[in-house]
Amino acid sequence: MDLVSGYKGMVGLVFGNENSGSSEDSYIERLLDRISNGALAEDRRTAVAELQSVVAESRAAQLAFGAMGFPILMGVLKEERDDVEMVRGALETIVSALTPIDHGKGPKNEVQPALMNTDLLSRESESISLLLSLLSEEDFYIRYYTLQLLTALVTNSTNRLQEAILTIPRGITRLMDMLMDREVIRNEALLLLTYLTREAEEIQKILVFEGAFEKIFSIIKEEGGSEGGVVVQVYGRDCLELLNNLLRNNASNQILLRETMGFDPLISILKLRGSTYSFTQQKTINLLSALETINLLLMGGPEVDSVKDANRLLTNKTVLVQKKVLDHLLMLGVESQWAPVAVRCAALQCIGDLIAGYPKNLDALASKVLGEEPHVEPALNSILRIILRSSSMQEFIAADYVFKCFCEQNSDGQTMLASTLIPQPHSMTHAPLEEDVNMSFGSMLLRGLTLNENDGDLETCCRAASVLSYILQNNIQCKERVLRIELEAPMPSLGAPEPLMHRMVKYLALSSSMKSKDGKSSSTGNLYVQPIILKLLVAWLADCPNAVHCFLDARPHLTYMLELVSNPSATVCIRGLTAVLLGECVLYNKSSESGKDAFTVVDSISRKVGLTAYFLKFDEMQKGFLFSSAKPAQPRKALTRSNAASMAEIEDVEENASSNQTDGHPILISIFDAQFVDLVKKLESDIRENIIEVYSQPKSKVAVVPAELEQKSGENDGDYIKRLRSFVEKQCSEIQDLLGRNASLAEDLARTGGGSISQPEQRASGASERVQVETLRRDLQEASQRLEMLKAEKAKIESEASMYQNLAGKMESDLKSLSDAYNSLEQANYHLEKEVKALKSGGATPSSPDIEAIKAEAREEAQKESEAELNDLLVCLGQEQSKVEKLSARLLELGVDVDTLLEGIGDDMGQHEDSEEDEED
């Protein structure tokens, strides 16, 4: 075989030339010779057993076997089916040749004989067909080793084996039949099908039409659902992983499952049974796999037709809620606090996906209550408590995702939650944590915003701020309502109540020196506490002038923001969000009060930070990890054999795991989603343009009256008016000069801060440049319109000229015809005269008077006729001449050379007459 010869060449390159073979090589060769040429059957079986033993233990033997052994053993499988023991040994030996041997850490570039053997065997499609035919053998071990062999092939050469099996008639059917075999065979078949169905849509569809769903759920039910063990899930070798492979990014299979078996068998796996609610590792893995299946049914796939994909998801969500899946998810994610963290997080994320963008499910969650009488509370309150109390960062992120999905495009839900935000007495807000069970949602949230502020631990505050930001996002009514909330001072002696917004700005400043619960300075807490509070303020001020006014009511707020935006120790994200917040104070500032108007904010930015440095904050933030990596929600990573056990053992992710990161903290990556990033990008564009306009315009009012405007004592009115006039002229000149310099400076700064950093993006030009461009555009449009009108008028005149030219040609043709008639009369007259002369010479004198009279009479009549026609022709020619003169004058006005236009008319007629005279001659 060519492949074997090539393979031998590879062996020579790796281990030396062919003459330097090891003892293993010669031993393998002798064993293969005994198998192929042995006379005694028992000796051949012994040689196969010895070959299997040495190949299973030595990588050199694996390599030598791959070069020589495959043709021999494949021949045994093909020709010696009746010798069951021989076939078993051959299959087991091939399995050993494809199984990697790990003798410790070796070089990274070391040759892997098992992979090379897999590549060699998988190239032959006939070999795959031969192996599939062995599945119909009655011997248990032949079927078992065959499935192991196919699994080894698909593990190391997935695509090639998938393509080969698709080309073999009834290849998938034979594998499906193995699911109805004995338990051990069934387990191997499940593992093989799991590998085969990864990213293979055609195989997925064939399996489904072969009844894969029915067989999968039958095995799960037989093995005890989520309580099942070895078969249902052992480190990824399970029915649920196969089920997920069949449903992942496959809309047709999802529809088929929904319309045939329904979702009931899947939902039954989520039911918790027994009184102890114990969660073994096996049960945890089963539940995680089932929750992944729910997630696949709720998340969009790579559908070309987005409308069909949306309809599919909508139907899936409707059916799942009808089947009470929300109750099971709430039990796993909220009520079962004894469940592992990974299960609780997965259930909460499924709740978020289930309600996202679907009003009926949003209402179902809003009205859902948990617990038993009399201790019941709304489900949203329980989820909020998880956010405020959980010690697990992953659980906080998952619960926060539920509120994000609940508030997104749900103005009624936002208003409902905001209506419960009622401040409680100071004594109530500092009551023990256990007493929050009887609180409303809003009271619990406000309590979380102010909890532990005296301890310097703002962890709970920032979590509550994240929830509040979702409630206020894109909802003016909620923003206005929350603006009116005032909180009592920690001590009555410290002053009057202050607005909630002012309290949040104070916490923002305190968070820079935040301490952890053990009293030590927290360097990692600041990484996400300040950005989350800034996100709340950015969402609050967006499109809300009253919020901007409230923010600027306290002068220290603007001063602190100017310090924070230029603080070199702050992260790129913090400086960027602070720049956005300052920009909103300009963009949505409707105040005309001195010290709070937009011009004051811009002037402060220019003096304290500099517009160039300010604009650079936006570009640095856009290049940061959070904003460059933000994407819409994607399906979670598939739960496979390699990560199932580790997922089940997750209890929490410690903060020190990400202490070396800055803007890439897991909490920030989750909370700064694509929707908020798009909002910031839109705000950035509007802020740049608005700051340039404000910076280019004067202040609307002059607060101080110059002394030069007062009339001096003893100054008469005439001199006072002249002095005022010169003063005003001087001021106007200075103002115009100042405006011009400001506009130029703002444009230069915008180009410097945006154009050179943001690469291809062209920032908005200044006001003066836009006016110039607009004026030029209008002038160009007017000139184009005038040109089009002149072109149309010219075409019309040329059409009339052509018409009159044709008419003149016709007249000339008539005149020629008349001339021809006159000439014929002259000729007739000439002939008559000749006849008369002939008659006279012949002596017929008596009749001569009559001939002369007739001749005179004919000449007179012809002359009258000619004169009449000539007069008519002259009149017509006169009229045409006047028209031609008028047309010639108009054409001259339009710039047309009349002589050139009429140049060839007379010449053509002249040439025509000359040719006729030549013919007569």
Side-chain angles (χ1 to χ4, degrees):
M1 296 173 63
D2 293 338
L3 289 172
V4 174
S5 61
Y7 192 87
K8 288 181 179 179
M10 177 61 71
V11 173
L13 289 174
V14 176
F15 292 98
N17 56 41
E18 296 180 6
N19 296 326
S20 61
S22 63
S23 59
E24 286 88 351
D25 296 341
S26 59
Y27 182 52
I28 295 295
E29 189 172 357
R30 289 197 303 271
L31 290 174
L32 290 172
D33 182 68
R34 287 170 59 189
I35 294 171
S36 59
N37 300 320
L40 300 176
E42 191 62 34
D43 182 59
R44 296 176 66 225
R45 295 189 192 104
T46 303
V48 170
E50 292 177 7
L51 180 63
Q52 189 275 329
S53 177
V54 69
V55 168
E57 297 176 358
S58 171
R59 299 177 69 178
Q62 284 185 337
L63 196 63
F65 172 82
M68 300 176 286
F70 278 124
I72 296 173
L73 292 190
M74 294 305 292
V76 171
L77 298 179
K78 185 176 182 180
E79 304 294 339
E80 303 183 36
R81 292 282 189 94
D82 295 335
D83 193 339
V84 174
E85 189 174 346
M86 195 73 177
V87 173
R88 285 182 188 173
L91 286 171
E92 192 174 3
T93 303
I94 297 175
V95 170
S96 299
L98 303 183
T99 304
I101 300 174
D102 187 10
H103 289 312
K105 296 182 179 179
K108 291 184 178 180
N109 58 351
E110 185 178 3
V111 174
Q112 299 292 332
L115 297 181
M116 297 179 68
N117 291 341
T118 301
D119 180 73
L120 180 64
L121 184 59
S122 62
R123 288 178 184 272
E124 296 292 331
S125 58
E126 295 179 0
S127 301
I128 308 301
S129 179
L130 175 62
L131 292 174
L132 287 176
S133 68
L134 293 173
L135 293 176
S136 59
E137 294 291 325
E138 293 183 1
D139 185 74
F140 168 81
Y141 287 101
I142 291 178
R143 300 197 305 275
Y144 178 70
Y145 290 137
T146 301
L147 287 172
Q148 282 193 328
L149 178 52
L150 290 171
T151 302
L153 285 173
V154 76
T155 303
N156 299 325
S157 186
T158 305
N159 293 337
R160 193 174 293 165
L161 191 66
Q162 288 172 341
E163 294 171 1
I165 288 181
L166 283 174
T167 61
I168 298 173
R170 299 191 72 251
I172 301 295
T173 304
R174 292 177 185 176
L175 295 177
M176 286 294 295
D177 292 340
M178 296 296 101
L179 292 179
M180 308 307 294
D181 209 320
R182 293 164 60 177
E183 184 174 320
V184 177
I185 299 289
R186 183 180 63 184
N187 296 346
E188 289 296 329
L190 278 173
L191 180 58
L192 174 59
L193 290 173
T194 298
Y195 284 117
L196 280 175
T197 50
R198 289 178 183 171
E199 300 180 1
E201 187 175 354
E202 290 301 321
I203 295 179
Q204 293 170 4
K205 290 181 179 179
I206 295 173
L207 280 176
V208 169
F209 282 105
E210 290 286 344
F213 287 144
E214 292 81 355
K215 292 179 181 179
I216 288 172
F217 285 115
S218 174
I219 295 172
I220 292 175
K221 184 177 180 181
E222 180 182 339
E223 296 297 328
S226 62
E227 306 288 341
V230 176
V231 178
V232 182
Q233 175 72 288
V234 176
Y235 302 110
R237 299 168 58 181
D238 66 330
C239 296
L240 292 173
E241 185 179 349
L242 176 58
L243 175 65
N244 292 341
N245 287 349
L246 296 176
L247 297 177
R248 185 175 289 108
N249 297 332
N250 197 318
S252 60
N253 284 359
Q254 291 187 14
I255 295 172
L256 196 60
L257 173 63
R258 186 181 68 227
E259 296 180 354
T260 54
M261 296 196 65
F263 295 150
D264 289 318
L266 174 63
I267 295 175
S268 65
I269 301 175
L270 300 176
K271 293 181 180 179
L272 297 179
R273 299 176 179 85
S275 57
T276 58
Y277 293 105
S278 60
F279 285 83
T280 62
Q281 184 188 57
Q282 201 59 62
K283 182 176 180 179
T284 300
I285 294 174
N286 295 343
L287 288 172
L288 287 175
S289 298
L291 289 170
E292 183 189 8
T293 309
I294 299 292
N295 177 258
L296 293 174
L297 295 172
L298 297 175
M299 296 297 292
E303 293 288 325
V304 177
D305 191 341
S306 58
V307 176
K308 287 184 179 179
D309 193 37
N311 291 335
R312 171 180 62 84
L313 295 178
L314 192 63
T315 307
N316 287 350
K317 292 180 179 181
T318 302
V319 175
L320 285 170
V321 170
Q322 290 173 353
K323 299 296 182 181
K324 308 296 183 183
V325 73
L326 184 58
D327 295 337
H328 299 300
L329 293 175
L330 287 170
M331 172 61 73
L332 288 172
V334 181
E335 294 186 271
S336 301
Q337 290 305 304
W338 52 86
V341 172
V343 173
R344 298 203 302 267
C345 293
L348 287 169
Q349 288 171 339
C350 285
I351 293 173
D353 295 332
L354 184 66
I355 64 175
Y358 192 23
K360 290 185 178 179
N361 291 0
L362 290 169
D363 295 340
L365 178 62
S367 59
K368 189 70 66 177
V369 294
L370 304 179
E372 298 179 358
E373 293 291 346
H375 305 291
V376 296
E377 69 172 346
L380 290 175
N381 289 28
S382 300
I383 298 174
L384 176 62
R385 184 178 296 105
I386 292 174
I387 291 177
L388 300 179
R389 287 191 186 183
S390 177
S391 59
S392 166
M393 181 181 69
Q394 296 297 327
E395 190 173 19
F396 157 61
I397 292 174
D400 184 83
Y401 179 70
V402 175
F403 278 102
K404 173 187 174 299
C405 295
F406 181 82
C407 294
E408 191 171 338
Q409 298 178 357
N410 182 22
S411 58
D412 292 339
Q414 289 173 305
T415 304
M416 182 267 292
L417 294 179
S419 65
T420 63
L421 290 169
I422 302 173
Q424 298 293 321
H426 183 71
S427 58
M428 187 65 182
T429 58
H430 288 75
L433 286 174
E434 291 73 16
E435 295 188 13
D436 63 1
V437 178
N438 300 321
M439 288 186 179
S440 66
F441 177 89
S443 300
M444 195 188 308
L445 183 62
L446 290 175
R447 184 173 182 270
L449 287 170
T450 59
L451 193 64
N452 296 334
E453 60 178 283
N454 296 328
D455 302 332
D457 179 15
L458 298 176
E459 172 80 21
T460 306
C461 170
C462 94
R463 294 184 179 190
S466 177
V467 177
L468 183 58
S469 69
Y470 297 135
I471 297 174
L472 302 183
Q473 187 97 25
N474 300 324
N475 194 315
I476 299 297
Q477 293 181 349
C478 291
K479 293 177 184 180
E480 299 282 357
R481 185 184 189 95
V482 178
L483 271 179
R484 296 191 290 268
I485 295 177
E486 293 189 345
L487 302 176
E488 292 183 1
M491 297 177 61
S493 60
L494 294 180
E498 61 180 338
L500 176 61
M501 176 178 285
H502 292 193
R503 184 72 64 90
M504 298 313 301
V505 178
K506 184 181 78 171
Y507 292 160
L508 178 66
L510 288 175
S511 61
S512 59
S513 57
M514 188 180 74
K515 296 181 179 180
S516 60
K517 294 180 180 180
D518 57 4
K520 298 180 181 179
S521 178
S522 174
S523 58
T524 59
N526 188 40
L527 292 178
Y528 62 88
V529 172
Q530 280 191 318
I532 290 177
I533 297 177
L534 283 169
K535 178 192 174 186
L536 167 63
L537 295 175
V538 167
W540 202 340
L541 267 61
D543 202 23
C544 186
N546 289 338
V548 173
H549 183 78
C550 178
F551 180 81
L552 294 175
D553 267 347
R555 180 66 184 178
H557 290 176
L558 181 60
T559 304
Y560 174 67
M561 291 300 164
L562 293 171
E563 293 175 356
L564 186 60
V565 78
S566 56
N567 184 0
S569 62
T571 65
V572 170
C573 177
I574 291 174
R575 294 197 300 267
L577 290 176
T578 307
V580 174
L581 195 62
L582 287 170
E584 287 179 320
C585 292
V586 178
L587 184 60
Y588 301 113
N589 194 322
K590 306 300 181 184
S591 175
S592 58
E593 186 178 347
S594 177
K596 296 181 181 179
D597 58 347
F599 187 87
T600 301
V601 178
V602 174
D603 186 58
S604 300
I605 295 173
S606 176
R607 286 186 293 103
K608 298 290 182 63
V609 182
L611 289 184
T612 303
Y614 172 75
F615 287 135
L616 281 173
K617 308 304 178 187
F618 290 107
D619 301 305
E620 292 172 358
M621 178 177 63
Q622 296 292 357
K623 285 185 173 183
F625 177 79
L626 281 177
F627 284 77
S628 61
S629 62
K631 296 178 181 178
Q634 299 291 331
R636 295 192 298 275
K637 184 178 178 180
L639 192 68
T640 62
R641 182 180 185 182
S642 59
N643 63 13
S646 59
M647 281 288 294
E649 293 173 357
I650 289 178
E651 290 299 329
D652 191 16
V653 178
E654 298 295 335
E655 287 187 354
N656 57 20
S658 57
S659 60
N660 295 328
Q661 304 178 21
T662 53
D663 291 342
H665 195 282
I667 291 180
L668 295 183
I669 294 173
S670 172
I671 291 177
F672 283 73
D673 54 2
Q675 184 184 12
F676 181 73
V677 170
D678 291 340
L679 170 66
V680 170
K681 289 180 179 179
K682 179 181 179 299
L683 285 173
E684 177 198 353
S685 175
D686 296 340
I687 287 169
R688 285 180 182 272
E689 184 175 352
N690 194 262
I691 284 181
I692 292 172
E693 290 182 1
V694 171
Y695 203 71
S696 305
Q697 301 296 327
K699 294 183 69 173
S700 57
K701 293 183 180 179
V702 179
V704 181
V705 179
E708 289 85 348
L709 296 182
E710 299 291 338
Q711 187 172 6
K712 299 178 181 179
S713 58
E715 186 179 24
N716 58 38
D717 293 342
D719 294 337
Y720 178 56
I721 291 173
K722 289 180 181 179
R723 187 166 59 82
L724 286 179
R725 182 174 180 179
S726 63
F727 175 78
V728 170
E729 289 176 351
K730 179 182 177 182
Q731 290 294 314
C732 287
S733 175
E734 291 179 355
I735 288 172
Q736 291 300 322
D737 181 60
L738 181 61
L739 288 177
R741 286 190 289 106
N742 281 352
S744 301
L745 177 60
E747 293 167 21
D748 292 341
L749 289 174
R751 284 193 293 269
T752 304
S756 61
I757 301 298
S758 60
Q759 299 173 356
E761 285 191 76
Q762 295 295 331
R763 302 298 182 184
S765 298
S768 61
E769 184 177 344
R770 288 198 301 274
V771 171
Q772 259 185 346
V773 171
E774 190 63 31
T775 303
L776 291 174
R777 187 181 291 111
R778 284 199 301 270
D779 292 344
L780 180 60
Q781 290 176 349
E782 292 175 1
S784 299
Q785 291 174 356
R786 285 200 300 271
L787 181 60
E788 292 297 329
M789 290 174 62
L790 289 174
K791 285 182 179 179
E793 190 173 353
K794 177 184 175 183
K796 181 179 178 183
I797 291 174
E798 288 178 350
S799 175
E800 291 179 357
S802 177
M803 181 184 68
Y804 287 125
Q805 185 178 350
N806 293 336
L807 187 59
K810 183 180 178 183
M811 292 294 183
E812 289 179 0
S813 177
D814 293 343
L815 181 61
K816 183 177 179 301
S817 300
L818 186 60
S819 176
D820 292 341
Y822 182 77
N823 289 335
S824 65
L825 286 175
E826 287 287 340
Q827 289 179 4
N829 189 25
Y830 175 73
H831 289 305
L832 288 175
E833 286 181 351
K834 286 180 69 177
E835 289 179 3
V836 170
K837 288 179 182 181
L839 289 173
K840 283 183 179 181
S841 61
T845 52
S847 60
S848 59
D850 296 333
I851 293 172
E852 291 292 335
I854 291 170
K855 181 178 178 181
E857 186 177 354
R859 183 181 291 113
E860 186 177 353
E861 288 179 1
Q863 189 173 0
K864 287 181 180 179
E865 255 181 56
S866 299
E867 287 178 356
E869 291 182 2
L870 196 58
N871 288 335
D872 293 340
L873 183 59
L874 290 173
V875 171
C876 290
L877 286 175
Q879 293 175 350
E880 294 306 315
Q881 182 65 28
S882 64
K883 292 180 179 179
V884 170
E885 290 175 356
K886 290 182 179 180
L887 288 174
S888 299
R890 183 56 179 164
L891 287 173
L892 286 173
E893 292 177 4
L894 295 174
V896 179
D897 191 349
V898 180
D899 294 336
T900 305
L901 184 64
L902 302 177
E903 187 172 3
I905 296 174
D907 295 342
D908 295 341
M909 293 303 300
Q911 292 174 4
H912 187 66
E913 290 178 0
D914 291 343
S915 64
E916 288 182 353
E917 289 176 1
D918 294 340
E919 289 175 1
E920 289 178 1
D921 294 339

